[in-house]
Structure formats: structure tokens, C-alpha cells
Amino acid sequence: MALLAVSSLSASAQTIYGPASDLDPLFRGVLTRPSNLANPQQYAVDAAQAGDIESAISTYDQLLFYNPNLSRTRFELGVLYYRLGSYEMARDYFKSALEKRDIAPDLQQRAEEYLAIIDKKLLPDQFTGFAQTGLEYQTNPGAGPGPQTALASGGKFDTRFSSKGDWNWFGAFGVNYVHDFETQRGDTFEASVIGYDAQQFTLHQFDVGLMEVRAGPRFMIFPGSTSGLSVKPYAIGTGALLADAPYSAGGGGGLTVHANVGSIALDPYVEFAQQSYRNSSFYPFASGLSGPLSTYGLLASGPISPGLSWVSRVTYAHDNASFGPDSYNSYAADIWLPWNFTVGTDSRTWTLTPTAGVSRWLYDAPDPSIAALTTPRSTEWRVGLGLDVPIWRQVVLGMLVQYRADQSNIPAFTMHDLAVSAGPTIKF
């Protein structure tokens, strides 16, 4: 590498001629004064944030050439090799960082956390997940309109489903399984299951239970490449209870691709599912929602600054329901900004996550029972703020405040909801 080639130059060299003179000032500083550790350290940080992992690794290696005892440099090399998927190399650097006397308590804890994760990733069968329980209050758990909303028939909207506040107990879990085929390519089999259940204190018509399973193989396209390019076909199955009665089931499949572009991770996907809804005493017309659903989306994420990152999702969906007025096209966009930080002398990590999103629904036809001459058009705006407070080891207290507002040309589809929830979460 160029950085190593110039390491033998005199530190007093002041001028660089030729192509190197067009490089950014920080890199020129690395070339002209390689023994000045401040220059290469800042260059390595900037290169890592820009996604140029190879340059960052080379620069950190140069730092270790001048001072092999830098624990932070060894830690950062461990992080970079971890990002590349070179877990053995990452483990060696984390272990060597822990052996240095100058390692700070926060780096020691983070290195130990990385080592625990790496130990799992080096196993052929890996399980990760979370489980949470808690209490939630919602001003409008059924996402219903005001109790005086009139329908096209002249009658009033069923007050059992109008806007009312209520508490609920909720539980949620997620488990991810990865099997490494040990082909030296990085090909794996991945499966995940998530579940959610909420039991209302009073409004039991809004008790809900959800389950989703996804599974499929992931194939690496360019093994060992920093692009991380891979493709994953998968199957999906879903089921739901509403008001403690079977409500819906679905099955289908999809295809997703993963790629790293610099420091940005991209995961476009396409998914098709056949949905089947079942009528019940509370929801006698649910079967009209049955039909195929196709979804096209993109997940993207990347760093902003140390401790702060962004995650976003955009989707387009088309639902072809058996009851024509329930068919729709929808567009949605969401963004999350997780910020990891410490408080005072406590080295444990807190996470604050502001969120925002918008969805637009364009229905295919008017619903004669609601507004016979008006095709519904609805927009939902949502904002939220989540906070994870460390309690003990892998246990955190999760809190979330979220506000949603639906605006529609149909009064029955206009609503507001404020939700506040809190409860312990264990991660494994």
C-alpha cells in the first residue's frame, strides 16, 4: 500500500509532487508526516465513515507500526474486520486490545460484547433474538373515527369501533436462526419468527395476536468482497387473531438482495403473498379483504457520526381484494435515527431513536356502505420517540411514544392516536 511505501520517508519532508498533490489535505498530511499520529488517525476515521474500509485498515496498521500499544487502534481494527465479516481477524484484534493496559472501561465493555457476538457467529448454528413485555396506553387503539361520524346510509358509525382510549398488556418476541453451510463462501440458511399479542383492559374487540415466519437460503455473489453482495429467496407465512378469534392467514414468498455501497447498506426486496380473511361476530365482512398482496420495497441504513446512524424504508404495495372497494395501492416511507450514548460515568449504552413516517392509500372504488360516490384517499403521518435504558447485562427498559394522524376525504377514515408504552426487554 502507498501508506506503507512512504513510511520510510523523512518526517521532515514538506512537499509532495505529482498525482499525490491533488489528494485531499488530510491524506497529504498522512503522506508528508506519517509519524504524526493525529493525521492518519483522523484519516482512518473519515475513511471508515465513508465506507472505504480497506484504506481505514491500512491507516490503522500504520498507526500500530509506530505504536503497537494503542488499544483503541486495535479495537477499531477489530470493528472494521467485523464489518468485513472476517470474524477470526476481528477476534484477534479485540483480544489484543483487551490485553493493553491503556484500554478505557467503555472500550473494554464494547470489545467484550463484540467477542461474545463473534463467538456466536463462528458457530455453524446461530440464534439471536429478543423478548419484551409491558403496558401500553392508546387514545384510539381501534384507529376509529369520532363517535358522531355519519355513513352514506345516514346511520352512525358503530360506536364499538369509534375513538376511545384504553390500556393493554402486550408481549412481543423475535428469534433469528442462521445456519452456516461452511462452504467458505459465506452461504447460509436464515429463518426468523416474530410474534406479538396485546390484550385490552376494556375494549376486547381490539385484542390482537400476530405471528410471522420467514425462511430461505442466502447466497453470496462475490465471497470476500466488501460489497457483501448476496441474494436471498424466501418463503413467508403469517397468521393473526382479532378479538381472540381467527382473523387472517397468508402465505407466499419473496426475493431480497443485500449490497454495501460505501458505508450504506441496501436491501431491496419484492414479496408476494396470498391473504385469506375470516368473518367473525365483531368483523362480519372481513372475508372481503381476501386476495393477493404484492409489495416492493427498499431498506437502507448507514452511519451519520460516531454513535448516530440512520435506517430508512420505502415501499409500494398493491392489494387486490375480493371486495373491490377494499383494493388499494399504497406508498410509505419511514426513517429511524438511533443514537447510542452513555450517561455520566456509566459505560453502558443508552439508545434514543426518533422516528417519522408517512403512508398514502389510494383505494380502487367507493364503498357503497360508507360513501357511495367518493373513492377513499387517505394519508397517515406518524412520529415517535423510543428510548432503551440499560438495566442489567442484556436487559433494557424499552419506552416508546408514538403519535399517528390519518387524514382522509372520507370522515370514517380520519383518526388520531397517541400511544405510550414501556416494559423490560431481554436480548440474546
Side-chain angles (χ1 to χ4, degrees):
M1 297 297 291
L3 294 176
L4 297 180
V6 301
S7 64
S8 61
L9 294 177
S10 170
S12 63
Q14 297 298 315
T15 305
I16 295 294
Y17 298 101
S21 62
D22 296 328
L23 298 174
D24 65 82
L26 192 58
F27 189 44
R28 288 204 304 270
V30 175
L31 293 175
T32 57
R33 292 176 294 279
S35 60
N36 181 352
L37 299 186
N39 278 330
Q41 186 168 22
Q42 185 59 52
Y43 181 80
V45 170
D46 291 348
Q49 291 180 353
D52 190 355
I53 297 179
E54 287 89 348
S55 292
I57 287 175
S58 296
T59 310
Y60 278 128
D61 281 338
Q62 184 191 31
L63 284 170
L64 288 183
F65 175 82
Y66 287 103
N67 188 348
N69 296 316
L70 296 173
S71 60
R72 178 170 287 277
T73 300
R74 292 181 177 276
F75 173 83
E76 296 298 344
L77 279 166
V79 173
L80 292 172
Y81 278 110
Y82 179 88
R83 287 172 60 181
L84 286 175
S86 299
Y87 300 123
E88 293 283 3
M89 289 288 291
R91 181 167 61 180
D92 289 343
Y93 277 110
F94 286 130
K95 285 187 173 180
S96 65
L98 290 172
E99 293 170 356
K100 301 304 176 183
R101 294 182 179 180
D102 70 329
I103 188 167
D106 62 323
L107 282 188
Q108 180 178 353
Q109 178 181 341
R110 292 172 63 193
E112 291 171 347
E113 291 173 351
Y114 269 111
L115 286 171
I117 296 173
I118 288 171
D119 286 342
K120 290 183 179 180
K121 287 185 174 294
L122 290 175
L123 295 173
D125 297 286
Q126 307 155 28
F127 290 90
T128 59
F130 76 93
Q132 182 183 26
T133 187
L135 295 175
E136 178 182 48
Y137 179 78
Q138 286 183 265
T139 59
N140 189 1
Q148 301 305 315
T149 301
L151 303 178
S153 61
K156 297 295 182 182
F157 189 84
D158 190 335
T159 57
R160 294 178 303 171
F161 303 98
S162 61
S163 176
K164 297 177 184 177
D166 194 16
W167 287 86
N168 71 61
W169 164 88
F170 70 90
F173 74 91
V175 177
N176 300 307
Y177 168 70
V178 177
H179 173 74
D180 188 341
F181 290 123
E182 299 185 286
T183 60
Q184 308 306 312
R185 289 174 40 86
D187 298 335
T188 59
F189 175 82
E190 302 174 356
S192 66
V193 55
I194 60 173
Y196 176 81
D197 185 74
Q199 297 293 312
Q200 300 296 138
F201 283 17
T202 303
L203 305 176
H204 295 293
Q205 62 269 35
F206 303 130
D207 291 348
V208 62
L210 305 170
M211 185 78 74
E212 178 183 277
V213 178
R214 295 169 181 261
R218 181 179 295 277
F219 303 104
M220 300 300 297
I221 306 301
F222 301 115
S225 168
T226 58
S227 69
L229 185 61
S230 65
V231 61
K232 174 186 173 181
Y234 61 91
I236 180 172
T238 64
L241 301 175
L242 189 58
D244 297 322
Y247 180 65
S248 70
L255 181 72
T256 183
V257 175
H258 175 80
N260 300 317
V261 180
S263 61
I264 298 176
L266 300 174
D267 292 87
Y269 64 93
V270 58
E271 190 172 290
F272 302 97
Q274 178 65 37
Q275 304 176 112
S276 177
Y277 288 81
R278 182 175 177 177
N279 297 332
S280 65
S281 57
F282 275 117
Y283 303 95
F285 306 110
S287 60
L289 297 169
S290 299
L293 172 67
S294 56
T295 306
Y296 308 84
L298 171 66
L299 289 169
S301 62
I304 298 175
S305 62
L308 180 64
S309 59
W310 61 272
V311 180
S312 65
R313 177 181 61 199
V314 292
T315 60
Y316 162 74
H318 175 69
D319 183 280
N320 189 17
S322 60
F323 179 59
D326 286 333
S327 299
Y328 64 83
N329 293 289
S330 71
Y331 306 83
D334 290 273
I335 187 166
W336 298 262
L337 298 171
W339 174 40
N340 296 320
F341 62 96
T342 57
V343 176
T345 59
D346 189 350
S347 62
R348 296 178 300 176
T349 300
W350 297 44
T351 303
L352 183 70
T353 308
T355 69
V358 60
S359 296
R360 177 71 170 166
W361 285 280
L362 307 176
Y363 288 86
D364 284 2
D367 187 334
S369 65
I370 298 178
L373 301 178
T374 305
T375 300
R377 299 286 187 266
S378 299
T379 302
E380 178 181 283
W381 300 91
R382 49 191 174 271
V383 294
L385 185 65
L387 178 64
D388 285 344
V389 179
I391 298 176
W392 179 73
R393 293 189 177 180
Q394 300 301 106
V395 180
V396 301
L397 175 62
M399 295 174 282
L400 176 65
V401 179
Q402 186 175 59
Y403 176 74
R404 298 185 300 151
D406 283 16
Q407 301 297 324
S408 177
N409 59 345
I410 305 295
F413 294 161
T414 296
M415 73 91 191
H416 300 269
D417 177 46
L418 176 65
V420 180
S421 62
T425 302
I426 183 170
K427 302 176 182 180
F428 57 90

